[in-house]
């Protein structure tokens, strides 16, 4: 009551739709009103009322090294002295492109944009131009930004044409997006067979963060690659979330399977707005001005953003040891919460890989979007609010991944587990 966050939110509601500039920031699905953040450093967010929270959102992924890492902060501070944006090439663009190409073997050429949404929109335009086909296949529950072609739900019948998930997306756009079931190769094969020689690309989050964390079953990604190759379609890994998070080369560093195109965002900007898409030179050379596929950006390759991104990628290549370390922490937390669920006899599953994980309040192992939707979101709301009370800031939705950073020390993990125990007990009393 009487909090500054509350009064700011009241004002925000008057002038910003829903009071937020991205719907995932609202507390609609968990109850309460969002906190306004004053500042962030290391493992902590501090709100405008002066309360501190352990940060398990990390700006929805970018903050791999925690908030305001000194190496990134100093790089941006130094770059500020040279101006903010030129609308002409700058050397950093070459350096960051070389860096990305050196880190991700499937990328021979890369184009910088300003967000993950821009990257996926451009990647499917390119895939359509390259294959001279119109349709794309995505998986139910995978999020690829807010481009029209991706805001499509399949409903139950995977063979039926897509219907828009949002008003404003036209049915003619929706009909070119087909939707398969994640971890279900047969559903994908069915779509290929029902639409011969018309699928430009299959796009997916190879590890899904956007229905809560869901991990591919053995053989699933390999099977997608085979189907794409057999049908002459491009395979696009949307690694906006997993890129540089699961390994220095993203998910594709964990598997021999290689995509034709990759989309990147989040970590690649070190907290500033950057996205990118890249792949084989032969495909990427179709982009203007090298080729006929138009894609542009006034602020693309902006010197401040590329400075932050380059500092981030340099940190990663200088510190490859963070990945086993983050995985150890992820496993420790996941195991700790699993034990709490078991001790308290609460239905739940924890999915975890590296520094990503989700606690689902369900009886069912979560392997796709339908499984995820069996979760008890009321329980999650109670859990979320108590975690906040205990000073732990989780993503405010059941269907999101939590993100760990290297700034989380063992004492922080103990704090999170202690908070979780209290929050889980609350879900029983309710
Ligand atoms: C966040 C995200 C996007 C969209 O990126 P924005 O920068 O928010 O536009 C696309 N794909 C995936 C997998 C994401 O997690």
């Amino acid at each position: 009551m009487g909090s500054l966050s509350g009064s700011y939110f009241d004002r925000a509601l008057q002038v910003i739709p829903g009071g937020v500039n991205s719907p995932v920031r609202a507390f609609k699905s968990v109850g309460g009103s969002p906190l306004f953040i004053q500042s962030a450093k290391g493992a902590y967010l501090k709100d405008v009322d002066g309360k501190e929270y352990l940060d398990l959102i990390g700006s929805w992924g970018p903050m791999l090294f925690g908030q305001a890492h000194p190496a990134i902060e100093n790089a941006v501070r130094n770059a500020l002295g040279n101006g903010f944006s030129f609308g002409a090439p700058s050397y950093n663009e070459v350096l960051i492109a070389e860096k990305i190409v050196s880190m991700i073997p499937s990328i021979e050429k890369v184009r910088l944009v300003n967000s993950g949404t821009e990257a996926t929109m451009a990647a499917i335009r390119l895939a359509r131009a390259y294959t001279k086909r119109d349709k794309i296949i995505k998986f139910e529950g995978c999020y690829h930004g807010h481009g029209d072609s991706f805001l499509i739900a399949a409903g139950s019948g995977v063979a039926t044409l897509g219907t828009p998930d949002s008003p404003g997306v036209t049915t003619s756009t929706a009909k070119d997006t087909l939707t398969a079931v994640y971890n279900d190769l047969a559903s994908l094969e069915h779509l290929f067979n029902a639409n011969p020689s018309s699928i430009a690309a299959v796009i997916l989050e190879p590890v899904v963060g956007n229905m809560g964390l869901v991990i591919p079953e053995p053989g699933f990604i390999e099977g997608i690659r085979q189907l794409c190759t057999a049908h002459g379609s491009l395979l696009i890994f949307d690694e906006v979330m997993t890129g540089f998070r699961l390994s220095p080369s993203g998910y594709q560093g964990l598997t021999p399977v290689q995509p034709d195109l990759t989309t990147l965002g989040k970590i690649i900007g070190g907290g500033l707005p950057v996205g990118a898409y890249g792949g084989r030179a032969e495909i990427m050379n179709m982009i203007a001005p090298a080729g006929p596929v138009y894609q542009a950006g006034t602020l693309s390759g902006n010197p401040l953003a590329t400075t932050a991104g380059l500092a981030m990628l340099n940190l990663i290549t200088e510190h490859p040891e963070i990945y086993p370390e983050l995985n150890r922490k992820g496993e420790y937390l996941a195991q700790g919460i699993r034990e709490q669920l078991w001790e308290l006899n609460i239905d739940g599953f924890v999915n975890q890989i590296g520094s990503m994980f989700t606690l689902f309040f369900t009886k069912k192992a979560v392997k796709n979007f339908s499984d995820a939707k069996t979760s008890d979101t009321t329980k999650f709301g109670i859990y979320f609010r108590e975690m906040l009370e205990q000073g732990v800031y989780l993503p405010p939705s059941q269907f999101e991944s939590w993100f760990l950073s290297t700034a989380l020390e063992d004492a922080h993990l103990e704090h999170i587990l202690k908070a979780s125990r209290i929050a889980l007990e609350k879900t029983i009393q309710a």
Side-chain angles (χ1 to χ4, degrees):
M1 277 296 89
S3 69
L4 275 182
S5 277
S7 76
Y8 292 169
F9 189 56
D10 287 343
R11 282 167 59 189
L13 283 170
Q14 302 304 311
V15 287
I16 302 172
V20 288
N21 279 315
S22 188
V24 294
R25 295 176 199 169
F27 280 16
K28 265 191 145 163
S29 71
V30 289
S33 78
L35 300 176
F36 280 68
I37 303 304
Q38 178 78 37
S39 61
K41 185 72 192 166
Y44 288 96
L45 300 172
K46 188 175 181 180
D47 73 9
V48 289
D49 292 291
K51 186 166 175 190
E52 290 201 313
Y53 302 87
L54 281 172
D55 177 18
L56 292 188
I57 293 197
S59 187
W60 299 93
M63 298 304 168
L64 186 64
F65 290 89
Q67 294 282 350
H69 188 283
I72 300 172
E73 189 177 323
N74 288 333
V76 174
R77 235 181 250 288
N78 291 335
L80 264 174
N82 296 324
F84 314 151
S85 183
F86 312 133
S90 58
Y91 183 39
N92 265 356
E93 296 172 69
V94 184
L95 293 178
I96 195 169
E98 287 175 346
K99 189 80 185 172
I100 295 164
V101 166
S102 76
M103 292 173 80
I104 304 185
S106 74
I107 297 184
E108 293 172 353
K109 284 197 173 182
V110 61
R111 170 59 67 80
L112 292 184
V113 292
N114 302 294
S115 68
T117 294
E118 278 186 61
T120 56
M121 288 182 351
I124 57 157
R125 181 182 306 141
L126 176 59
R128 285 170 163 153
Y130 181 79
T131 58
K132 302 190 176 69
R133 297 171 176 183
D134 287 346
K135 291 188 191 305
I136 60 164
I137 298 177
K138 74 178 283 286
F139 290 88
E140 197 187 5
C142 280
Y143 178 68
H144 303 294
H146 64 88
D148 282 3
S149 304
F150 301 117
L151 294 180
I152 311 297
S156 50
V158 290
T160 57
L161 294 178
T163 49
D165 213 8
S166 165
V169 176
T170 64
T171 43
S172 60
T173 296
K175 81 172 175 16
D176 285 331
T177 300
L178 310 176
T179 311
V181 177
Y182 191 80
N183 272 329
D184 180 353
L185 267 184
S187 74
L188 181 64
E189 196 165 7
H190 179 79
L191 289 178
F192 268 118
N193 292 336
N195 298 274
S197 306
S198 47
I199 307 298
V202 174
I203 184 168
L204 82 159
E205 302 178 68
V207 162
V208 191
N210 286 292
M211 49 177 115
L213 179 69
V214 177
I215 296 165
E217 300 268 273
F220 179 59
I221 303 288
E222 290 81 352
I224 297 174
R225 176 69 271 180
Q226 281 165 9
L227 283 170
C228 284
T229 305
H231 291 271
S233 308
L234 297 186
L235 173 58
I236 306 174
F237 277 1
D238 181 354
E239 296 226 47
V240 170
M241 198 177 265
T242 53
F244 313 108
R245 178 162 285 280
L246 295 181
S247 86
S249 30
Y251 171 78
Q252 52 196 282
L254 308 178
T255 169
V257 179
Q258 296 297 293
D260 300 296
L261 294 172
T262 300
T263 54
L264 297 165
K266 299 196 166 109
I267 289 178
I268 203 180
L272 271 73
V274 184
Y277 63 106
R280 290 207 308 277
E282 164 219 2
I283 306 173
M284 293 300 290
N285 283 336
M286 288 192 71
I287 298 163
V293 179
Y294 199 70
Q295 184 272 308
T298 301
L299 294 177
S300 296
N302 168 277
L304 295 183
T306 50
T307 295
L310 197 54
M312 170 64 90
L313 298 186
N314 284 333
L315 272 178
I316 288 171
T317 45
E318 283 156 23
H319 297 285
E321 74 280 3
I322 64 167
Y323 294 96
E325 179 66 13
L326 283 167
N327 190 50
R328 179 187 71 76
K329 290 175 179 170
E331 279 180 351
Y332 180 75
L333 273 186
Q335 200 48 40
I337 295 177
R338 284 184 193 123
E339 279 163 21
Q340 294 173 350
L341 290 168
W342 189 77
E343 282 163 21
L344 297 169
N345 198 18
I346 294 172
D347 290 330
F349 270 91
V350 181
N351 284 354
Q352 177 260 338
I353 180 170
S355 55
M356 297 171 72
F357 72 94
T358 298
L359 158 60
F360 292 98
F361 286 95
T362 176
K363 283 195 208 334
K364 202 166 189 289
V366 177
K367 297 179 177 180
N368 61 37
F369 194 42
S370 316
D371 296 340
K373 283 194 295 194
T374 63
S375 301
D376 184 336
T377 53
T378 307
K379 276 215 172 86
F380 181 82
I382 296 165
Y383 182 81
F384 171 87
R385 289 194 302 277
E386 187 58 32
M387 288 296 272
L388 204 59
E389 192 61 37
Q390 299 295 326
V392 181
Y393 197 111
L394 303 177
S397 162
Q398 170 69 91
F399 306 108
E400 299 287 358
S401 172
W402 311 358
F403 298 102
L404 305 185
S405 77
T406 60
L408 287 170
E409 289 165 14
D410 290 344
H412 298 133
L413 302 185
E414 296 313 323
H415 178 150
I416 294 165
L417 283 178
K418 225 170 124 192
S420 173
R421 171 94 200 190
I422 297 168
L424 283 174
E425 281 166 1
K426 274 269 155 92
T427 68
I428 304 176
Q429 292 155 20

